[in-house]
Amino acid sequence: MTPKKVMLSAVQPSNRLTLGNYLGALKNWVQLQSQFDCLFFAVDLHAITVRQDPKELREQTYRAIATYIAAGIDPDSVTLFAQSHVPQHAELAWVLNCFVYMGELSRMTQFKDKSAKQGQNIPVGLFTYPALMAADILLYKTHLVPVGEDQKQHLEITRDIAQRMNQIYGNDLFTVPEIYLPPVGARIMSLQNPLSKMSKSDPDPQSAVYLTDTDDQIRKKLKRAVTDSGSEIAYTAEKPGIKNLIDIQAAITGQSPEQITQTYAGKQYGHLKVDTAELVATAVGPIRDRTEQLLRDRSYLDDLLKQGAKKARTRAEKTLGDVFDRLGLIRRG
Ligand code: TYM
């Protein structure tokens, strides 16, 4: 039997996860997991590129892992861990920092957006963030990375670094990863400004549905969702608020946006909002409740993280050893 290909992905535990994280990423990990050899982790080292409250960060890291399981990730068949528990990520990131160019990193839109919010003192970690992300992916010879659209540029730079190093050190050094973007849901928009992405770091809590929200909060947020002028329900770029609600429904139900739009012929925005709220509440409710349940058993989560990190370290050390070797560093014992 040929071994399964490797699929890997991660979320930054910088805040509670959102519906965007679920529909753009987690839901697809769950759907694809049985076909792949999977690694999923919480990127706590990425999270500290902007200032975090230490207690909160630890809490959100546990919460992220619990949410993966609550969303349907099978903890017995995938490798789950915290990025900081596998030191090879930071080590390979250093190496990759020596092969990625300032010009390339300066073009990253995430860096431009996030650094604009930092004022004068922009942490260097924010700039070299993509090198750590490339290390996350390349350490495990990953074939497929399921993410939302905002991570596309980071995947491209990862591929560029891999190809660049393969050319110098041999084509079998790194696997050049492919991106998996879902057909719908790759970019869920803010409920308050449908021209910008739904984000866990948005200061306005009304802009996002969090996977911790109660059914009531979900209903209120969707009721208040900013929609567009006019009254006809159409799936078009001119109606970004309506389009977003249809996309949310499509990503949850698996129906196409066109099919959903047809069912609203002659109906009003209010109908669309109410139905979307019910669908979101039905999708999020069980994840929220199961996450809370899992969070009550810290020793289970600690055990899982410990075992996951052990498995990940063995695999990561193999790739890192090979990289060090080819670069001319003396092998460590
Ligand atoms: P993060 O934590 O910002 O987001 C986690 C995942 O959720 C997706 N996502 C969205 N998808 C659709 N609509 C949205 N509004 C939305 N917001 C977020 C993201 O695309 C992502 O898939 N750099 C990454 C974390 C990371 C990573 C990795 C991912 C670090 N190393 C290695 C994959 C592989 C990030 O900040 O994701």
Side-chain angles (χ1 to χ4, degrees):
M1 205 175 71
T2 49
K4 284 181 176 172
K5 290 191 169 180
V6 177
M7 181 167 92
L8 166 151
S9 203
V11 174
Q12 269 194 81
S14 47
N15 198 350
R16 294 161 295 166
L17 272 60
T18 69
L19 183 66
N21 297 134
Y22 176 60
L23 297 177
L26 262 64
K27 191 167 189 278
N28 311 303
W29 308 355
V30 172
Q31 270 164 5
L32 296 167
Q33 65 180 332
S34 65
Q35 300 166 46
F36 291 87
D37 167 14
C38 298
L39 300 114
F40 300 116
F41 46 109
V43 288
D44 46 1
L45 295 174
H46 275 116
I48 60 168
T49 53
V50 299
R51 207 65 78 229
Q52 301 288 339
D53 173 72
K55 190 164 165 267
E56 212 26 47
L57 175 60
R58 202 165 294 127
E59 206 46 43
Q60 297 301 350
T61 306
Y62 279 119
R63 184 174 283 282
I65 299 291
T67 308
Y68 298 175
I69 301 169
I73 290 298
D74 176 7
D76 298 324
S77 46
V78 311
T79 304
L80 286 173
F81 60 100
Q83 184 189 35
S84 63
H85 292 183
V86 184
Q88 288 83 359
H89 288 242
E91 288 183 277
L92 182 62
W94 172 256
V95 174
L96 303 187
N97 267 319
C98 303
F99 288 85
V100 69
Y101 306 134
M102 304 273 289
E104 288 174 312
L105 293 175
S106 320
R107 282 195 289 277
M108 296 292 113
T109 45
Q110 184 171 304
F111 169 70
K112 289 192 229 170
D113 289 350
K114 289 198 174 179
S115 57
K117 293 180 192 140
Q118 297 290 314
Q120 286 285 304
N121 296 322
I122 300 162
V124 174
L126 210 50
F127 188 62
T128 61
Y129 180 113
L132 179 59
M133 179 157 163
D136 294 342
I137 297 168
L138 300 180
L139 267 180
Y140 301 97
K141 310 243 171 196
T142 305
H143 298 93
L144 196 67
V145 185
V147 282
E149 200 179 84
D150 60 332
Q151 295 303 315
K152 201 170 159 195
Q153 219 185 8
H154 289 159
L155 252 294
E156 279 159 9
I157 202 172
T158 301
R159 289 170 56 89
D160 290 344
I161 298 171
Q163 278 160 346
R164 182 171 306 154
M165 290 187 72
N166 281 358
Q167 241 172 31
I168 308 172
Y169 299 105
N171 261 329
D172 56 338
L173 179 61
F174 291 131
T175 299
V176 181
E178 300 290 334
I179 186 170
Y180 174 89
L181 288 177
V184 267
R187 191 171 176 82
I188 300 296
M189 308 310 275
S190 154
L191 299 178
Q192 289 302 309
N193 174 9
L195 296 176
S196 81
K197 185 190 75 162
M198 182 182 286
S199 161
K200 46 176 140 62
S201 54
D202 195 314
D204 178 3
Q206 297 303 316
S207 69
V209 169
Y210 299 103
L211 301 183
T212 49
D213 284 346
T214 62
D215 291 355
D216 218 39
Q217 284 171 319
I218 294 172
R219 288 192 188 103
K220 282 197 184 116
K221 285 184 182 182
L222 278 146
K223 199 169 160 201
R224 288 192 205 130
V226 169
T227 42
D228 314 285
S229 56
S231 60
E232 192 206 346
I233 296 176
Y235 189 74
T236 147
E238 273 106 71
K239 296 199 169 194
I242 294 300
K243 181 172 180 291
N244 193 34
L245 298 182
I246 296 172
D247 276 336
I248 290 173
Q249 286 207 16
I252 293 176
T253 61
Q255 284 182 294
S256 72
E258 291 71 25
Q259 278 172 320
I260 290 167
T261 312
Q262 274 168 18
T263 66
Y264 286 99
K267 293 195 183 166
Q268 284 163 11
Y269 288 177
H271 294 121
L272 178 67
K273 286 185 174 183
V274 169
D275 293 350
T276 310
E278 290 316 310
L279 275 174
V280 172
T282 309
V284 170
I287 300 176
R288 173 192 64 224
D289 298 345
R290 179 91 181 101
T291 303
E292 292 310 323
Q293 212 177 33
L294 285 159
L295 280 171
R296 275 182 229 125
D297 192 351
R298 288 302 153 105
S299 64
Y300 168 71
L301 292 175
D302 276 327
D303 248 22
L304 210 62
L305 289 177
K306 211 165 139 185
Q307 287 169 27
K310 205 171 153 204
K311 279 199 275 176
R313 276 197 296 264
T314 308
R315 293 173 68 164
E317 183 58 22
K318 242 176 111 190
T319 310
L320 187 70
D322 188 26
V323 172
F324 280 179
D325 220 26
R326 296 202 203 195
L327 258 66
L329 310 186
I330 296 174
R331 261 202 186 262
R332 53 191 182 196

